[in-house]
Amino acid sequence: MVFRFSLASVLSVRESIERREELALQRVEMEVARVKQRIEELTDELVKAGDAREKALQNSIPAYDLQSMDAQMNSALEAKQILLDTLQTLQQQRDTQMKVYQAAYNGRQVLTDLLEQKKIEFKQEQEHLQQKRVDDIFASRWQRN
């Protein structure tokens, strides 16, 4: 007799849902990492621009050069603030997606555990039937003698 799990199709659906949610979580994680990297790059640019501005102030420079430096720094600061806001939103999305993935994982895990339990029960039943057959054969031979 072959083992058949009556909920195999449900398990298959749950596995695909779990995989889909895991991929969605990975996409959000990659986006968080990308934004964090860009924030670090902008921070480095701001430090370099600040150092360059301080160095330029030690020398006499035209006002339009100083204004240009300030405008670049302000632009970088604005971009960094936008990225920080985006990062916060992405982290909230990640937390939400983690909960969705965890629910999908738990749903699949319940069915996987049930499958394993049913396999063990099936194997035990098969072993019991096999032992019964052996006992019946032994008993019939015993009665002949």
Side-chain angles (χ1 to χ4, degrees), residues 16-110:
S16 67
I17 290 170
E18 178 188 9
R19 182 69 182 140
R20 182 186 69 213
E21 298 305 335
E22 181 181 20
L23 290 173
L25 179 59
Q26 288 175 355
R27 281 192 298 273
V28 173
E29 285 287 349
M30 286 176 26
E31 190 64 19
V32 166
R34 186 191 66 76
V35 169
K36 282 182 176 182
Q37 180 181 2
R38 184 62 185 133
I39 289 171
E40 287 179 25
E41 290 170 359
L42 280 173
T43 301
D44 290 345
E45 287 178 26
L46 283 167
V47 168
K48 289 176 185 174
D51 290 345
R53 184 179 184 277
E54 289 301 317
K55 191 174 185 179
L57 284 174
Q58 291 175 359
N59 302 324
S60 87
I61 60 166
Y64 63 87
D65 285 342
L66 186 59
Q67 287 175 341
S68 174
M69 288 178 165
D70 286 344
Q72 287 175 344
M73 288 178 65
N74 287 336
S75 176
L77 280 170
E78 288 174 17
K80 183 178 176 181
Q81 186 58 50
I82 290 170
L83 285 173
L84 287 170
D85 293 341
T86 301
L87 179 62
Q88 185 176 14
T89 302
L90 286 171
Q91 288 173 332
Q92 290 171 349
Q93 286 178 357
R94 180 189 59 203
D95 294 344
T96 301
Q97 185 59 38
M98 179 61 84
K99 290 175 185 172
V100 171
Y101 167 71
Q102 192 65 42
Y105 172 82
N106 290 340
R108 193 257 327 142
Q109 189 63 42
V110 166

